Amino acid sequence: MVAAVTVLVVGAGPTGLLLAAELQRRGVDCLLIDAHESPLDWDRATVVHPRSLEIFDALGIVEPLLAAGVKQRLARIHSDGSVLGDIDLALCGSRYAFNLGVSEEVTEAVLTDYLTGLGGTVTRATRLVGLEERPDGVLATMESEGATTQVVAQWVVGCDGNRSTVRTLAGIARDGHDIAEPWAVFDTTVGGWTQSYEANYAYLDAIPVILTALPDQRWRVYLRPSSDASDLTADAAITLGRYVPGLRFEDVANPTRFHCHTTVARSFRVGRLLLAGDAAHTCSPAQGHGMNTGLQDAFNLSWKLALVCQGVCPDTLLDSYDSERRPVAQLVTASGDAAESLQSVKDPDERRARDAAIRAVSLTPPHAITRRSPRRSWTSTMAARPSLWVTGTPRSRRASGFRTGSRPGLPMAGPACSMISPIGRATPPS
């Protein structure tokens, strides 16, 4: 006889772990599988945003995460050898007025401890290979160590990343595009550093570089390499050397090149199949939204799916997951594309105009940044490079029922810069 489970969650990254744990906490029978034999030793996501910290707080697990990370209180933006402006995250409106710098595998460990404390577990080295909808549920076929097993699930949630098997088997198409220019990343200590270690730093130079703070005065360095075969530390030193005399990269680890994509699934639900996290949407890493958006997907979906599984609500409740989270994904991807455009400006006149616009924004009180602010002349000349800008007054920042930190905003550069969002509403300039 084929085993039965209420919910099958595919993928044990942060999104899948949080979803499975919250279902477990609500008494919903859940099977969480992952193709990897063990948790990843390292992953490149670094920034936990204030809204995600609020979620961890609500679940009672924020303290171990805070203890493992470093508070990123400021984002400083540079170009052409000068500082363009600062973003003070104390303005974000959250009781966690900072981003938290912590590598993704640490976040996964905190979530895994939360899941196991609730009696859940991860079934590893297990790969989904087939889905068949039947009157009594979804027949899922899995492979593990050469053996095939099957389970009938009432619901299947794909949290299995950009190459999602669940999305492919469900036949859900995506809108979007590949991001043409590759990214790269490495971890390091920066010798000669004299500025704060509780901040992120973005450099919009010919080779764009983003420094994100890690514990123990370490940095995760993101950059756009100068060529496919370039030395990553040499590339980063070309940019940072203008700002940090005598800079040295020490104890370099995890040098990695990667390609990114801007995509949103056309539906987050088809029948009994649902998508969350990177399986549902992917975006530029420039603002640090990827993992955070997935965590917020899981938090939105978990209580709704639990109510449906327990017979308290009809399954039409799950349609609200799609209608609420897809627009967020669309806004995040549009904002990420705008951030990519800001990084990729090559024309000297356009670069000067971009830099002047960022300076103008940084000198303007947040409630005064509107569609008619000084940067409009720059955006009008950059019609092919649409961006999103913060608008609103101090008393309108909690308008329309949005929770603090629930939406992406000013996409100038760097993971921290996106967190200007909680102080206002993001709208395209006219």
Side-chain angles (χ1 to χ4, degrees):
M1 178 178 291
V2 177
V5 67
T6 305
V7 179
L8 170 63
V9 178
V10 183
T15 302
L17 287 165
L18 178 56
L19 177 63
E22 282 297 274
L23 292 171
Q24 186 81 20
R25 183 169 71 88
R26 291 173 168 86
V28 175
D29 180 30
C30 178
L31 172 62
L32 172 61
I33 66 171
D34 193 87
H36 294 96
E37 294 183 357
S38 61
L40 297 178
D41 295 330
W42 178 88
D43 210 344
R44 63 178 180 261
T46 313
V47 177
V48 183
H49 288 166
R51 174 60 185 141
S52 298
L53 291 172
E54 290 177 357
I55 290 173
F56 278 75
D57 186 10
L59 303 180
I61 57 173
V62 74
E63 290 304 326
L65 195 66
L66 292 175
V70 60
K71 295 174 182 177
Q72 303 167 345
R73 303 179 186 275
L74 178 78
R76 178 161 291 164
I77 305 163
H78 309 72
S79 179
D80 197 26
S82 300
V83 175
L84 300 183
D86 291 344
I87 296 174
D88 182 1
L89 298 185
L91 300 175
C92 76
S94 171
R95 60 187 173 276
Y96 296 102
F98 48 83
N99 290 333
L100 190 72
V102 60
S103 197
E104 182 176 335
E105 69 275 7
V106 179
T107 304
E108 288 187 8
V110 171
L111 288 168
T112 300
D113 288 346
Y114 179 53
L115 172 65
T116 56
L118 293 167
T121 188
V122 181
T123 301
R124 295 200 171 273
T126 302
R127 185 168 61 93
L128 178 72
V129 295
L131 291 173
E132 177 190 341
E133 287 213 50
R134 308 193 320 186
D136 59 339
V138 180
L139 178 66
T141 303
M142 299 166 290
E143 287 183 355
S144 179
E145 298 179 347
T148 298
T149 58
Q150 291 184 314
V151 64
V152 174
Q154 296 304 300
W155 300 93
V156 177
V157 186
C159 304
D160 48 343
N162 177 51
R163 297 181 178 89
S164 170
T165 300
V166 174
R167 188 187 65 243
T168 300
L169 294 174
I172 300 175
R174 294 188 291 178
D175 295 320
H177 58 88
D178 296 334
I179 295 174
E181 294 187 24
W183 282 81
V185 64
F186 60 89
D187 294 345
T188 188
T189 300
V190 178
W193 187 261
T194 60
Q195 299 185 55
S196 172
Y197 287 91
E198 292 192 345
N200 291 339
Y201 300 87
Y203 302 86
L204 302 181
D205 290 78
I207 298 177
V209 174
I210 301 169
L211 296 183
T212 59
L214 289 173
D216 303 320
Q217 297 188 349
R218 297 271 292 170
W219 300 95
R220 184 152 294 169
V221 182
Y222 297 88
L223 69 150
R224 310 311 281 266
S226 61
S227 72
D228 292 341
S230 63
D231 182 296
L232 299 182
T233 58
D235 277 348
I238 290 171
T239 293
L240 295 179
R242 302 183 67 183
Y243 305 90
V244 187
L247 169 140
R248 303 180 308 279
F249 291 126
E250 302 168 350
D251 299 322
V252 174
N254 306 309
T256 305
R257 296 171 186 265
F258 58 98
H259 289 269
C260 296
H261 318 273
T262 295
T263 63
V264 179
R266 292 182 182 175
S267 176
F268 287 8
R269 179 195 177 193
V270 173
R272 295 178 180 270
L273 309 180
L274 299 119
L275 303 176
D278 285 356
H281 44 75
T282 59
C283 63
S284 165
Q287 298 171 298
H289 281 306
M291 181 185 71
N292 290 279
T293 311
L295 290 170
Q296 292 162 39
D297 287 348
F299 196 64
N300 182 292
L301 177 59
S302 58
W303 65 269
K304 297 174 181 177
L305 187 54
L307 289 176
V308 171
C309 291
Q310 293 162 349
V312 177
C313 293
D315 68 354
T316 51
L317 176 62
L318 298 175
D319 294 336
S320 69
Y321 167 67
D322 181 281
S323 63
E324 291 170 2
R325 295 305 300 169
R326 277 194 80 249
V328 172
Q330 290 168 331
L331 189 55
V332 164
T333 54
S335 179
D337 279 350
E340 291 278 334
S341 294
L342 286 170
Q343 282 191 349
S344 64
V345 176
K346 304 298 183 185
D347 179 80
D349 290 337
E350 289 188 350
R351 289 177 64 87
R352 283 190 291 271
R354 175 201 64 189
D355 294 351
I358 294 173
R359 284 194 182 94
V361 170
S362 68
L363 294 172
T364 305
H367 64 274
I369 301 174
T370 69
R371 296 183 182 188
R372 299 183 183 278
S373 62
R375 85 285 185 258
R376 189 171 187 270
S377 61
W378 171 68
T379 56
S380 66
T381 67
M382 300 283 286
R385 306 178 187 275
S387 190
L388 302 174
W389 299 87
V390 175
T391 65
T393 64
R395 293 189 179 275
S396 73
R397 293 169 190 163
R398 296 287 184 92
S400 305
F402 282 93
R403 296 183 179 185
T404 299
S406 63
R407 295 188 293 175
L410 188 65
M412 290 188 289
C417 299
S418 63
M419 290 316 297
I420 196 79
S421 59
I423 68 171
R425 293 181 296 167
T427 56
S430 58

